[in-house]
Amino acid sequence: REILKSFLQVISDASDYGFSVNHSSPYSYIGYGGAWLRFHKPLEFLTTILNIQDDDKDKTNKIVAYARKVGVDIRSISFGKSRASYALNREEKAVYKGIASIKYLNRNVAEELYELAQQKEYDKGDFVTLLRDIFDTCTIDTRQMEILIRLDFFKDFGAKEILLELFLTMADKKKA
């Protein structure tokens, strides 16, 4: 009851500065809701705000700094964890960067790779089986695949240099 009373006072105070109640009320609700989410649901709040501010590098850097301060880890792209946009992982208390923002990649490829990872658990020492499944089920092209390997997207399967050699061999770009 006291919170509601003080909230209504904030709305009234905002209208004293030249904002109409019709204008100040929604902004007060948005501010209050955002503050509640930021405090009670930091992972969800940070994931959403990173997706909204994805194009603004300065704001993204400030958000990442705040995330570190509150104990949330912002991680690089990773097979089975990353989606098209930033995605949260509650167990790890982390947010994974999305891959659709990377040049030459797109939402469709990102979601296909994520779905592939969710459908089957891959042995971390068997990159060849994963490659075969990617060739069979995904619309990813060789340029996109090379970019992901070079960015260490498949780091759980081994060193990127070796994975790149395997991929190029299987894609007939290089003799075995």
Side-chain angles (χ1 to χ4, degrees):
R1 183 175 229 152
E2 286 299 312
I3 293 172
L4 181 60
K5 187 176 178 181
S6 64
F7 183 64
L8 292 173
Q9 183 62 42
V10 168
I11 294 172
S12 173
D13 290 347
S15 65
D16 291 343
Y17 290 103
F19 293 108
S20 69
V21 172
N22 292 339
H23 184 74
S24 61
S25 296
Y27 279 102
S28 298
Y29 286 121
I30 290 169
Y32 179 75
W36 188 90
L37 286 171
R38 185 175 175 170
F39 183 78
H40 293 287
K41 302 284 186 181
L43 272 175
E44 291 82 353
F45 175 80
L46 288 166
T47 303
T48 302
I49 203 74
L50 281 166
N51 284 323
I52 291 170
Q53 300 295 338
D54 194 28
D55 294 337
D56 190 332
K57 299 283 186 234
D58 291 334
K59 287 184 181 178
T60 300
N61 289 337
K62 289 178 184 176
I63 295 165
V64 169
Y66 172 75
R68 284 191 191 117
K69 190 170 124 180
V70 296
V72 174
D73 195 15
I74 307 297
R75 299 194 178 160
S76 63
I77 59 174
S78 181
F79 179 72
K81 309 279 175 112
S82 295
R83 300 189 76 159
S85 301
Y86 285 93
L88 65 91
N89 185 315
R90 281 188 187 85
E91 294 83 36
E92 298 175 17
K93 197 173 181 188
V95 178
Y96 282 89
K97 184 169 176 29
I99 66 174
S101 64
I102 300 169
K103 190 174 181 178
Y104 302 117
L105 292 165
N106 58 52
R107 297 189 77 73
N108 188 39
V109 167
E111 292 304 322
E112 286 174 351
L113 290 170
Y114 182 77
E115 288 301 318
L116 186 65
Q118 302 310 306
Q119 291 171 1
K120 182 177 177 183
E121 189 162 331
Y122 291 94
D123 179 21
K124 299 303 179 190
D126 189 9
F127 188 62
V128 173
T129 302
L130 174 62
L131 279 177
R132 192 182 68 230
D133 289 347
I134 289 173
F135 290 144
D136 291 344
T137 61
C138 296
T139 59
I140 192 167
D141 64 28
T142 54
R143 175 196 276 178
Q144 293 168 327
M145 192 66 182
E146 282 186 53
I147 290 169
L148 287 174
I149 292 171
R150 290 179 195 280
L151 291 174
D152 224 7
F153 182 69
F154 301 102
K155 60 185 155 273
D156 293 340
F157 293 91
K160 60 185 169 185
E161 295 80 15
I162 296 169
L163 300 180
L164 188 59
E165 289 291 323
L166 279 170
F167 169 70
L168 293 174
T169 300
M170 287 184 70
D172 291 327
K173 291 264 189 170
K174 197 173 191 180
K175 288 188 177 182

